[in-house]
Amino acid sequence: MAEISTAIVGKNIKSIRESIGLSQKDFSILVNVSRASLIKIEAGSTGYRLNLLDGIIDFTRFSLSEISKMNFSVPDNYREKLLKIYGEDVTAGVILNQQPTLVYCIKHSLLNSQFLNEPKEIRQITKFFADKGWVFSGNSIQIALKRMTNAIVIIKHDSKGNTNTYSKLR
């Protein structure tokens, strides 16, 4: 594979993994690739054999030609679709039924809701996740939201000195 191709494949595989809401460790278990190899693939490194992608292709049901495309996108509700396929599988079902990653929860739940149309404090966002059965520390949420400058607006609270509020970028 050419360098540009490995970069595209790596970016797309990372996008798939994040759209499922899995850590590199859990995804590597499901696709039968070592975590170290997955890290290299996602980074767009060269020097790996194409057969390393076989497990990813088999599990995700995307073809090599699909994940090689620059304009590749993961379908909405992809995690739910995989749960329907693998829900009865001992390993995949257990992993897919675990709490998704924080980034997944922010992108696919918090930002897809109306919740952040008005500014919210971290404690309110923590409760939003807790109501869905997801437990994250306020500090972890705060760090993740600060990294999402293309989607989140952070403003100092009007009356609480050390408190920020978070809302969707409009």
Side-chain angles (χ1 to χ4, degrees), residues 81-96:
K81 291 173 185 175
L82 289 178
L83 266 167
K84 287 180 184 173
I85 295 168
Y86 295 108
E88 301 299 316
D89 181 277
V90 176
T91 303
V94 167
I95 290 174
L96 289 170

Side-chain angles (χ1 to χ4, degrees), residues 91-150:
T91 303
V94 167
I95 290 174
L96 289 170
N97 278 303
Q98 291 176 2
Q99 174 174 294
T101 61
L102 176 55
V103 171
Y104 172 90
C105 294
I106 291 170
K107 287 182 178 178
H108 296 278
S109 183
L110 185 64
L111 292 176
N112 283 336
S113 73
Q114 304 300 309
F115 188 74
L116 286 184
N117 286 356
E118 298 296 321
K120 300 288 191 276
E121 295 177 29
I122 286 296
R123 66 177 175 77
Q124 295 169 298
I125 298 169
T126 302
K127 185 178 179 334
F128 172 88
F129 289 138
D131 289 346
K132 296 186 176 299
W134 300 328
V135 179
F136 299 106
S137 73
N139 191 46
S140 295
I141 296 169
Q142 192 173 26
I143 291 167
L145 291 174
K146 284 182 179 180
R147 292 180 179 159
M148 297 183 170
T149 56
N150 62 335

Side-chain angles (χ1 to χ4, degrees), residues 22 25-32 55 59 89 91-93 95-96:
L22 295 176
K25 176 187 166 214
D26 286 341
F27 189 67
S28 67
I29 291 167
L30 293 178
V31 299
N32 200 28
F59 179 77
D89 181 277
T91 303
I95 290 174
L96 289 170

Side-chain angles (χ1 to χ4, degrees), residues 16-36:
I16 292 168
R17 179 181 59 77
E18 289 178 344
S19 293
I20 303 170
L22 295 176
S23 65
Q24 289 176 328
K25 176 187 166 214
D26 286 341
F27 189 67
S28 67
I29 291 167
L30 293 178
V31 299
N32 200 28
V33 171
S34 73
R35 184 169 178 265

